[in-house]
Amino acid sequence: MGNLKLADGRRLLAVAIGLALSEGASAQECPAGTFSSTGSEPCNACARGFYQPLTGQTACDAADAGFFVPQIMQTTQFACTPGTYQPDPGQSACLDADPGFFVAGEQSLTQEACPVGQYQDQAGSSQCLDSPAGFFTNATGSEQAQACALGTYQPNTGSSGCIDASAGFFVGDTGQAAQTQCSLGTYQPDPGQSACLDADPGFFVAGTQSLSQEACATGTYQPDPGQTACLTADPGFFVESQGQSAQVACAVGTYQPNEGQGACIEASAGAFVATTASLTEESCPVGTYQPGTGQSSCIEAEVGFFASEPGSTAATECPAGSVSFGGSIACRAAPTTGPNIVSPTFGSSAGRGGPLGVIGLFEAGSDSAEFLFQIRNDANSIGAPDPLTRLTLNALTGSGPDGDLAVPTDLAGTVLDEGESLQVQLAANPQRMGVVSLPLVAETDEQADLGGDGLDFQFSLDLMVDGQEVLVELATDREEVVPGDTLQVFLNARNPGNADAPANDLLLNLGAGIECPAWTAVSLGGIGNPETLAATATDVVSLDARTQLIYVGLCSIADTASGAIDLSASIVPDP
């Protein structure tokens, strides 16, 4: 009868049952897909996993292994499709191939494991997948491909393993299909590595795919890692061996004019090198010599010797009857009382020991109280520098009871050859207000025996000092009046200005028998009282806004004098 479809079987079953129930009907054969113990109606449907292609059968046939019957009353069995299998008979379904396995054809009784180099992550597959490039499978039945580890790669598909990166190459990530060459400045001596090595300081790598680094040659260096070349040592420096990360400065006594050198050159005899990293040597100046090599300084010709040429390697002894000072370029006739041929002059018309004669007004604490002081060596006996005519400034100081002069601290030992001068900036630092005298002492070697301490030149700088914040000040040289004597008076009054009170009174009260001369006004836009202060009088001075009055004078005190000088003021500062 052939294979019956499921729907046809159901219709036949219905017909068979109908015939069996018909009154007076005769027994009929069971149709295909059914059975009975007699082969005749009434009939039973074949169960799932069983089928019957014939009519009038007393049993159903079990589905063969590799086949299945999914429904009842089937007249045929169905072959398992690719990707499925069935090892047992009488089954209503086939089994899907497991992940890692496959079934390539129909009617299969078994599944097959994926071979090495392939995998399958899905169930019910009819074939396996090749492991992609950068991956591998090294066992049968693999459900997943494994990524190549760091330092390995695989350019092909379907591979069972990975390849180690070659020396000079690296693989820096997993699952890679290719290796990467070491770049410039890096190298890798070993296979299977995930990174290249930076060239060390003192080394370099000039090409790609390098297996090793190269040491910097003598005369070159490299301070940084991962470099493609070395640096050439600068002039004044050297690199004495290979593989160095720094250049070295030539020491004192040595020099190097060229770049890329492995050593420095010693200073020649008659020459010296005083600093490090020098490019040249210097000849010893006249008055000095140097017999040795590699020296950082020259030796002054000793007393009784001289060196008249630059670059001398030895000093020459003075002839009998002549002398020289240390560092001399020539000898002179021996003096009988010591050299007295230096004639210094100072910035003062009063000469040696006289006052400097400067009277100025400045405010205490300001930066304006600075003075320029000059010293000059007027000797001109031989017309060239000579130790016997040099002037040495041993010290310059200025300090007294009224204050001091700030002078540079590095002047001691300053040498002035013939015609040379020195200008010194002095800053006055008075300790009180009023008229002050600041002494200045210059100590030199003039008229000393061959360079010893000689004369002191003393000067005086006279100043009038105004207190920066003081509005009115009266100072006298004694607290009590002494009849028959004189009284030194210093008066300083300043109106800092007030628009509401442009004129402010200043009252001077004189005791009986005290008389002062006319005012000497030294003011900054101020006005002074030109009248003589009469005995027992009260003098009133009016100061305009922004004016100042300074009075310095001597007041006479009669034999019958009493009282003193005092003052009161109504000067009002700016609000």
Side-chain angles (χ1 to χ4, degrees), residues 486-511:
T486 57
L487 185 66
Q488 175 74 49
V489 176
F490 172 78
L491 173 63
N492 176 20
R494 184 195 321 158
N495 181 357
N498 188 314
D500 296 331
N504 296 279
D505 292 337
L506 173 65
L507 282 71
L508 298 176
N509 301 308
L510 301 178

Side-chain angles (χ1 to χ4, degrees), residues 150-151 165-166 168-173 180 182 186-198:
L150 295 174
S166 305
F169 291 78
F170 73 101
V171 179
D173 203 353
T180 304
C182 291
T186 68
Y187 70 102
Q188 180 50 258
D190 301 319
Q193 300 303 307
S194 61
C196 295
L197 305 174
D198 283 341

Side-chain angles (χ1 to χ4, degrees), residues 246-265:
Q247 60 181 348
V248 180
C250 291
V252 293
T254 67
Y255 69 101
Q256 181 50 260
N258 302 312
E259 64 178 16
Q261 300 302 306
C264 296
I265 304 169

Side-chain angles (χ1 to χ4, degrees), residues 97-351:
D98 296 324
F101 291 77
F102 73 102
V103 178
E106 297 180 341
Q107 305 177 15
S108 295
L109 278 63
T110 59
Q111 61 181 351
E112 188 176 352
C114 291
V116 171
Q118 293 185 328
Y119 73 101
Q120 180 51 259
D121 58 353
Q122 302 294 325
S125 296
S126 62
Q127 62 182 0
C128 295
L129 305 174
D130 284 341
S131 56
F135 290 76
F136 72 99
T137 57
N138 58 0
T140 59
S142 296
E143 297 181 19
Q144 298 287 342
Q146 301 180 51
C148 290
L150 295 174
T152 68
Y153 69 103
Q154 179 51 258
N156 301 315
T157 60
S159 298
S160 61
C162 297
I163 304 169
D164 282 344
S166 305
F169 291 78
F170 73 101
V171 179
D173 203 353
T174 59
Q176 297 303 300
Q179 61 182 346
T180 304
Q181 65 182 5
C182 291
S183 59
L184 299 174
T186 68
Y187 70 102
Q188 180 50 258
D190 301 319
Q193 300 303 307
S194 61
C196 295
L197 305 174
D198 283 341
D200 296 324
F203 292 77
F204 70 101
V205 178
T208 60
Q209 306 178 20
S210 296
L211 279 62
S212 62
Q213 60 182 348
E214 187 175 351
C216 292
T218 300
T220 67
Y221 68 103
Q222 179 51 255
D224 300 317
Q227 299 303 305
T228 61
C230 297
L231 305 176
T232 301
D234 297 321
F237 292 78
F238 72 101
V239 181
E240 66 178 349
S241 60
Q242 296 180 346
Q244 297 304 304
S245 60
Q247 60 181 348
V248 180
C250 291
V252 293
T254 67
Y255 69 101
Q256 181 50 260
N258 302 312
E259 64 178 16
Q261 300 302 306
C264 296
I265 304 169
E266 283 192 344
S268 308
F272 70 102
V273 179
T275 60
T276 60
S278 292
L279 278 64
T280 60
E281 64 180 357
E282 295 183 56
S283 295
C284 290
V286 291
T288 68
Y289 69 99
Q290 180 52 259
T293 59
Q295 300 302 308
S296 60
S297 62
C298 296
I299 304 168
E300 277 197 348
E302 295 84 356
V303 174
F305 290 79
F306 71 99
S308 59
E309 298 293 334
S312 296
T313 59
T316 303
E317 188 173 4
C318 290
S322 63
V323 296
S324 70
F325 194 63
S328 293
I329 64 172
C331 299
R332 301 177 63 88
T336 57
T337 60
N340 185 16
I341 56 177
V342 178
S343 177
T345 61
F346 297 85
S348 168
S349 59

